[in-house]
Amino acid sequence: MDHFTYRSGALHAEGVPLDAIAEAVGTPFYCYSTATLRRHFEVVRDAFAGLDALVCFALKANSNLAVVRTLGELGAGADVVSEGELRRALAAGIPAERIVFSGVGKTRRELEFAVDTGILQINVESEPELEALNEVARARGKRVRIAVRVNPDVDANTHEKITTGRKENKFGIEWTRAHAVIRRASAMPGIEVTGVAVHIGSQLTDIAPFRDAFLRVRDLVVMLRTDGVALTRIDLGGGLGIPYADETPPSPAQYAAVVRETLGDLGLKMVLEPGRLLVGNAGILVTRVIYVKEGATRTFVIVDAAMNDLMRPALYDAHHAVVTVRQPDPGVEPIHADIVGPVCETGDTFARRRPLPPVESGDLLVLRTAGAYGATMASTYNSRLLVPEVMVNNDTFSVVRARPTYEEMLAMERLPEWMEAAPKGR
Ligand code: LLP
């Protein structure tokens, strides 16, 4: 459920008409709904009621400070994967003791920063990383809390590019080796092993792979206990899917039921790392139709957003629902159109042969379910300005990331000293 609905013939974000924001900010822009963020967080929190679970929002899904702050104020922690994300989480006011640091390739500098910050836990994904972290911690006279991320070799049945828990994926420590690695880590002076972590992929629409992975984690925890290694925490990752089209992913309550059934009796604290589930439906991308062009075999609706602003369709053939801001008249005959951006690649296509109410130049369109992995994956390809972000709260809105100017874009670059200054352009 979200708070983007038609009122008096126009799509609103909560109480604000989207055409008013478009007028003020220009297009394209991302728009986030505070009420939707809040609702999603509460649904997840309530599903886990009674379990000692910390919801650490995966910043990679949406790292805008206002979004992170909104979730942080509701009690969320953060799952970060780089120094940049760690700094963002702190800047948004997430306390260090609610931050976990994941990722296969943390540099020594990043490990040092995390150890100095004193975060809740670092999820270690390889033996070389474990050794590096032990050295970093010892050099500082500290013991650092870690979880060992295991690779349970479970197929998540999701898009190949976002599956992470099979043995041929780069993530985690092979689950049959995990026991030995944890015992080794337990003997390291700079390391305190507090738990195991698992994350098998993103946009999962089946519950079974979660159950398989959690049961493997359970076996490992029980075996370690028998060997006298007592863990206090398990980190279950993220990955629960959301509906983009006609998928029917498990609900947070169904997911939590599987967690209770497989791991609930172990008496461990839990960390969850949902990303998409919290923010996906809380964001949309608003764009304006530039031209409607009749091609030889199809109609192209050319909009001012492009693959650089929302990469998911180009990268994963992802589906995003497209609606008009003006409420369509009931019974209107739809056109079937390819919705494309201005970038010079055929891959810059948001939808193919999509039924759509008839539109014309100047109309506003909305790509729905764009709050996760939208703005965070945007680039300036084709020297397009980075897309701005707006947050709505009831009847007000605020620009929470401004559209840069062309001067700001060019100011990052300079010519080497052996070149003559370029003639002043206009
Ligand atoms: N924890 C870890 C260790 C992860 O690698 C991820 C996502 C998450 C949590 C959050 O997963 P979520 O709850 O959002 O599924 N760009 C892709 C998705 C990449 C996901 C990468 N890892 C997309 O647009 O679909």
Side-chain angles (χ1 to χ4, degrees):
M1 208 212 88
D2 64 50
H3 291 259
F4 300 104
T5 49
Y6 288 108
R7 294 188 192 182
S8 333
L11 195 65
H12 283 53
E14 303 187 23
V16 185
L18 288 164
D19 41 14
I21 306 179
E23 211 49 58
V25 177
T27 51
F29 64 92
Y30 279 96
C31 178
Y32 308 128
S33 150
T34 305
T36 314
L37 288 171
R38 196 175 294 133
R39 186 190 139 78
H40 287 185
F41 182 82
E42 287 167 359
V43 166
V44 174
R45 188 194 55 198
D46 294 351
F48 281 86
L51 291 173
D52 188 356
L54 175 64
V55 179
C56 288
F57 169 55
L59 250 70
K60 62 172 82 67
N62 190 321
S63 56
N64 185 283
L65 290 178
V67 170
V68 180
R69 176 67 164 251
T70 303
L71 295 170
E73 283 176 355
L74 294 166
D79 165 45
V80 303
V81 290
S82 67
E83 181 173 338
E85 283 192 353
L86 177 47
R87 287 179 184 272
R88 273 181 183 277
L90 295 168
I94 307 277
E97 61 274 14
R98 280 200 244 141
I99 301 178
V100 300
F101 194 172
S102 309
V104 285
K106 305 176 202 80
T107 62
R108 189 171 279 256
R109 186 200 140 102
E110 288 179 313
L111 293 174
E112 286 168 354
F113 184 69
V115 171
D116 290 341
T117 307
I119 62 173
L120 177 67
Q121 118 193 344
I122 298 180
N123 291 352
V124 170
E125 300 220 16
S126 66
E127 288 183 77
E129 184 190 359
L130 180 63
E131 285 152 20
L133 183 56
N134 183 38
E135 279 171 30
V136 168
R138 286 187 69 185
R140 287 162 166 69
K142 286 197 178 176
R143 279 190 90 200
V144 41
R145 290 181 294 265
I146 70 154
V148 170
R149 175 163 172 190
V150 299
N151 180 326
D153 193 24
V154 166
D155 189 348
N157 294 333
T158 184
H159 191 285
E160 180 201 355
K161 288 186 183 160
I162 53 175
T163 194
T164 55
R166 284 185 316 206
K167 60 177 181 300
E168 39 292 314
N169 302 141
K170 67 182 173 183
F171 300 96
I173 291 176
E174 213 236 310
W175 76 290
T176 52
R177 284 249 342 121
H179 189 267
V181 173
I182 290 171
R183 291 197 56 148
R184 181 170 166 226
S186 306
M188 289 180 165
I191 300 289
E192 178 189 348
V193 188
T194 58
V196 283
V198 70
H199 171 81
I200 57 174
S202 192
Q203 185 53 16
L204 270 72
T205 50
D206 288 349
I207 198 76
F210 284 121
R211 184 180 285 110
D212 294 348
F214 297 163
L215 285 173
R216 293 206 157 165
V217 168
R218 179 190 178 84
D219 286 351
L220 182 62
V221 170
V222 170
M223 266 174 2
L224 284 162
R225 269 191 191 165
T226 320
D227 283 359
V229 182
L231 304 179
T232 53
R233 220 164 16 230
I234 33 175
D235 179 338
L236 302 179
L240 189 55
I242 61 173
Y244 285 92
D246 47 12
E247 308 91 327
T248 48
S251 68
Q254 288 167 322
Y255 172 81
V258 168
V259 173
R260 279 198 178 80
E261 166 200 320
T262 52
L263 301 160
D265 61 334
L266 294 177
L268 297 170
K269 291 182 196 297
M270 292 180 187
V271 171
L272 310 167
E273 300 172 354
R276 191 188 313 266
L277 182 63
L278 295 179
V279 293
N281 284 320
I284 57 174
L285 176 61
V286 182
T287 180
R288 206 179 275 285
V289 175
I290 309 177
Y291 303 115
V292 179
K293 164 169 157 176
E294 294 303 332
T297 59
R298 46 182 90 186
T299 302
F300 296 101
V301 171
I302 305 169
V303 297
D304 65 2
M307 62 188 285
N308 68 298
D309 304 309
L310 176 64
M311 272 187 76
R312 303 192 68 257
L315 196 54
Y316 315 113
D317 290 318
H319 177 99
H320 287 264
V322 181
V323 297
T324 51
V325 167
R326 191 166 18 87
Q327 187 163 18
D329 297 328
V332 69
E333 198 52 38
I335 59 167
H336 287 79
D338 283 18
I339 302 162
V340 300
V343 161
C344 304
E345 298 193 22
T346 301
D348 184 22
T349 298
F350 289 123
R352 293 193 171 77
R353 304 208 177 210
R354 188 65 75 81
L356 201 67
V359 290
E360 54 187 50
S361 170
D363 284 353
L364 290 170
L365 296 184
V366 162
L367 287 110
R368 296 187 63 110
T369 323
Y373 306 107
T376 47
M377 293 176 72
S379 76
T380 57
Y381 185 41
N382 274 210
S383 287
R384 292 165 52 84
L385 296 174
L386 206 55
V387 56
E389 296 168 274
V390 170
M391 179 174 266
V392 168
N393 187 18
N394 288 320
D395 294 335
T396 52
F397 73 90
S398 174
V399 176
V400 292
R401 183 175 76 191
R403 193 189 311 278
T405 63
Y406 286 108
E407 288 71 27
E408 283 164 344
M409 183 172 82
L410 291 173
M412 300 282 287
E413 293 170 40
R414 44 210 43 127
L415 294 173
E417 52 286 359
W418 64 84
M419 285 182 193
E420 282 183 39
K424 269 261 181 290
R426 269 189 288 160

